[in-house]
Amino acid sequence: MEATALTLSSSSAAARRSPAKEIAASLRLRRFAVHAVQLRAAQSAALRALSAPSPGARKRRGSGLVVRAEMFGQLTTGLESAWNKLRGVDVLTKENIAEPIRDIRRALLEADVSLPVVRRFVSSISEKALGADLIRGVRPDQQLVKIVHDELVQLTGGEVCDLVFAKSGPTVILLAGLQGVGKTTICAKLAFYLKKLGKSCLLVAADVYRPAAIDQLTILGEQVGVPVYSEGTEAKPAQITKNALEEAKRKNIDAIVVDTAGRLQIDKSMMDELKEVKKVVNPTEVLLVVDAMTGQEAAALVTTFNIEIGITGAILTKLDGDSRGGAALSVKEVSGKPIKFVGHGERMEDLELFYPDRMAQRVLGMGDVLSFVEKAQEVVRQEDAVELQKKILSAKFDFNDFLKQSQNVAKMGSMSRVIGMIPGMNKVTPAQIREAEKKLAFVESMINAMTAEEREKPELLAESRERRIRVAEESGKTEQEVQL
Ligand SMILES: Nc1nc2c(ncn2[C@@H]2O[C@H](COP(=O)(O)OP(=O)(O)OP(=O)(O)O)[C@@H](O)[C@H]2O)c(=O)[nH]1
């Protein structure tokens, strides 16, 4: 934004009196108006970008390989066809949302989201799309994107759900799950995660049926630099875990992570064994490890385990594979239990907390543009924009309008953040942004020192030296800086 000293006259009335300096001052205020319009145009460009296909989506269409590699890729593409059907539509109506809603429904079912979840989801977004709480100033297709985004976040639990730690003594994290879902790998990944939090940890080899599982845990433990407690294959899992907990207490270890045996499918002996371990060590967390590739089946498993043994959450593994997203979207809604972590690769660092909002953004493929729209929605009112445009065109843009516009922009965050969110504005240097912020604050402080009348009629300051001196004094500036 270009620098200027305070510009105190704008109207055609000022121009009619026609001293050369008043005309110059009028031109400077117009320049502010132009800046406001340019900023508005940049906002609109970002809003338009919302419904343009994301680079990721373009890539997906161009390459079958990328489709397979990118989680949620198919779902994202399916949803895009819903937004595209609303292009050129002025308002969302029962009639014009019917087809996009069908697309959304189909995309979710193809992603293997469970049918009752899809039904509830679709009914909720239809209701919201037609509801009164739509925010004006954003196009109908963009409104639908926002509604779907918010609903996805809701569906997957709303908030990130971190590990809970015991108030005293070692935290016990008991892992359960079917065979081959990635339990042993998750044990080591959790140990790695805990280490990063600065917590000491002990891994417990309680899968006594598969000797290779103990070896695997020992190797992974070495890899992450965490000790492994094992009693071989002869002892009972509940006894091993109890002894491991005693050892952790003796050594002041913060947490133990217990690897248990999996089965090909749910069976009574597995459940009994888990119940026994649970009874003996009273774990802080009982986490069910599920394979994301099993889609909605994962959600059903979480429900069953929760009913049978009582769990605190789920860990989804193999999200780097050809998962279609059904598990991630169904688990919380079906079972009532949150997804706490997701595993997305075989390396120890491929484990992260599950963030519903990040996942929703990833599904929609909209990234920062979506957050920009959210911010813009908060502050930009369509009527204000039209009103502003009219004022500028009729040369009645006064200091109140200027202040309102700059405050609207300020509500969206620091100028560097706002500029960073606008596509194509990345060439503005931090020094230029700092300079613009300084100059804006400079002008605002002078406007704040004006009376309501002076703000509306800048020519009053043009006519009166006393007024200029007062504004200069009250805003801590010199008369020179306030000069016309
Ligand atoms: N691509 C990918 N592979 C994974 C992930 N997590 C685990 N694996 C792999 O899945 C396979 C099975 O993992 P394990 O940790 O042995 O599974 P488990 O549940 O302990 O298996 P059982 O001990 O037989 O019950 C291994 O080859 C892991 O490397 C993941 O997030 N992504």
Side-chain angles (χ1 to χ4, degrees):
M1 190 173 297
E2 191 183 328
T4 72
L6 181 56
T7 55
L8 295 179
S9 176
S10 74
S11 69
S12 41
R16 269 199 309 279
R17 284 189 309 279
S18 72
K21 58 186 180 179
E22 286 183 9
I23 293 173
S26 169
L27 285 174
R28 287 200 293 272
L29 185 56
R30 293 287 190 92
R31 232 164 34 220
F32 272 128
V34 169
H35 290 317
V37 171
Q38 283 169 343
L39 187 55
R40 179 58 57 110
Q43 288 173 349
S44 307
L47 296 173
R48 275 196 306 279
L50 177 65
S51 52
S54 62
R58 281 193 287 274
K59 233 161 98 193
R60 278 194 298 281
R61 285 191 200 102
S63 153
L65 266 178
V66 184
V67 174
R68 285 185 62 79
E70 199 172 310
M71 180 182 53
F72 301 129
Q74 195 185 340
L75 177 57
T76 308
T77 311
L79 291 174
E80 270 168 11
S81 73
W83 331 134
N84 289 341
K85 292 209 170 101
L86 285 170
R87 287 282 178 87
V89 160
D90 292 331
V91 64
L92 297 174
T93 66
K94 204 170 174 199
E95 288 69 38
N96 67 24
I97 63 162
E99 230 191 299
I101 294 284
R102 261 198 300 279
D103 287 345
I104 292 170
R105 184 185 157 86
R106 194 177 312 124
L108 290 169
L109 288 172
E110 282 171 6
D112 201 18
V113 180
S114 90
L115 185 59
V117 173
V118 175
R119 281 207 187 110
R120 279 196 294 277
F121 189 90
V122 161
S123 134
S124 176
I125 55 167
S126 310
E127 202 178 296
K128 286 183 179 143
L130 298 172
D133 57 342
L134 295 180
I135 302 155
R136 281 167 291 175
V138 174
R139 288 198 322 261
D141 55 327
Q142 295 162 343
Q143 285 177 340
L144 189 62
V145 172
K146 174 75 167 62
I147 289 167
V148 171
H149 170 269
D150 292 353
E151 206 60 27
L152 282 173
V153 174
Q154 249 352 80
L155 180 70
T156 48
E159 299 285 313
V160 64
C161 213
D162 208 340
L163 282 178
V164 174
F165 292 98
K167 291 201 173 61
S168 63
T171 297
V172 179
I173 303 170
L174 175 62
L175 296 184
L178 296 183
Q179 216 168 65
V181 291
K183 271 188 311 305
T184 310
T185 312
I186 287 292
C187 269
K189 283 180 178 175
L190 276 177
F192 186 68
Y193 176 80
L194 290 165
K195 259 183 86 172
K196 277 196 293 184
L197 295 183
K199 298 203 180 278
S200 54
C201 178
L202 176 69
L203 293 175
V204 185
D207 177 356
V208 292
Y209 306 101
R210 199 167 63 88
I214 300 175
D215 298 340
Q216 188 188 347
L217 195 66
T218 309
I219 293 166
L220 290 174
E222 269 168 26
Q223 203 177 314
V224 293
V226 167
V228 176
Y229 184 90
S230 163
E231 294 183 17
T233 53
E234 297 307 314
K236 291 235 178 260
Q239 191 57 47
I240 296 171
T241 311
K242 188 164 178 268
N243 296 342
L245 181 57
E246 291 306 321
E247 171 140 328
K249 281 181 188 161
R250 273 197 305 277
K251 294 187 172 166
N252 268 333
I253 289 175
D254 297 319
I256 68 169
V257 184
V258 187
D259 186 24
T260 61
R263 304 280 195 283
L264 278 176
Q265 54 201 3
I266 292 175
D267 69 14
K268 189 169 175 312
S269 65
M270 172 173 63
M271 290 299 184
D272 288 346
E273 193 174 285
L274 285 167
K275 282 180 199 166
E276 180 72 17
V277 176
K278 208 181 153 193
K279 204 169 104 194
V280 168
V281 292
N282 189 24
T284 326
E285 292 274 12
V286 183
L287 299 173
L288 183 71
V289 183
V290 280
D291 184 335
M293 313 264 258
T294 56
Q296 55 174 301
E297 183 53 34
L301 266 178
V302 178
T303 310
T304 310
F305 270 79
N306 188 38
I307 292 168
E308 284 288 324
I309 57 167
I311 61 171
T312 55
I315 299 182
L316 270 191
T317 60
K318 309 187 189 180
L319 263 95
D320 52 317
D322 196 11
S323 141
R324 287 175 290 161
L329 300 183
S330 308
V331 163
K332 177 70 170 59
E333 180 81 358
V334 170
S335 70
K337 290 291 159 187
I339 298 172
K340 292 211 166 190
F341 288 91
V342 290
H344 49 84
E346 294 183 68
R347 296 170 318 157
M348 291 302 104
E349 51 270 53
D350 295 333
L351 177 78
E352 56 191 46
L353 281 169
F354 178 70
Y355 290 91
D357 55 341
R358 287 189 201 167
M359 191 226 50
Q361 288 197 0
R362 213 165 150 189
V363 168
L364 297 173
M366 298 290 182
D368 263 6
V369 179
L370 190 72
S371 76
F372 176 78
V373 172
E374 283 168 6
K375 292 268 181 187
Q377 283 172 336
E378 285 166 23
V379 294
V380 178
R381 291 277 174 272
Q382 189 65 40
E383 301 95 312
D384 279 1
V386 172
E387 195 56 27
L388 174 69
Q389 209 171 354
K390 273 195 216 149
K391 281 186 171 178
I392 290 171
L393 288 176
S394 63
K396 281 186 191 147
F397 184 90
D398 63 23
F399 287 119
N400 287 317
D401 300 311
F402 176 78
L403 210 54
K404 197 162 159 192
Q405 286 307 307
S406 66
Q407 283 164 354
N408 272 347
V409 173
K411 279 189 217 160
M412 296 171 68
S414 69
M415 195 176 285
S416 57
R417 179 161 157 69
V418 173
I419 288 176
M421 285 191 279
I422 300 171
M425 294 291 277
N426 51 357
K427 291 201 180 72
V428 181
T429 66
Q432 284 172 314
I433 293 172
R434 273 197 304 278
E435 185 63 13
E437 274 173 335
K438 246 169 55 195
K439 280 165 184 157
L440 200 59
F442 186 88
V443 174
E444 278 178 4
S445 69
M446 286 196 254
I447 298 175
N448 284 330
M450 291 177 198
T451 64
E453 203 188 6
E454 285 161 356
R455 288 186 198 181
E456 271 173 37
K457 295 180 189 158
E459 62 269 24
L460 290 178
L461 283 127
E463 286 160 355
S464 158
R465 182 161 182 242
E466 288 72 44
R467 285 180 190 266
R468 295 197 298 272
I469 291 172
R470 198 204 74 244
V471 168
E473 273 172 6
E474 283 181 23
S475 61
K477 307 281 177 302
T478 64
E479 192 196 342
Q480 216 77 25
E481 288 166 322
V482 186
Q483 74 176 342
L484 297 174

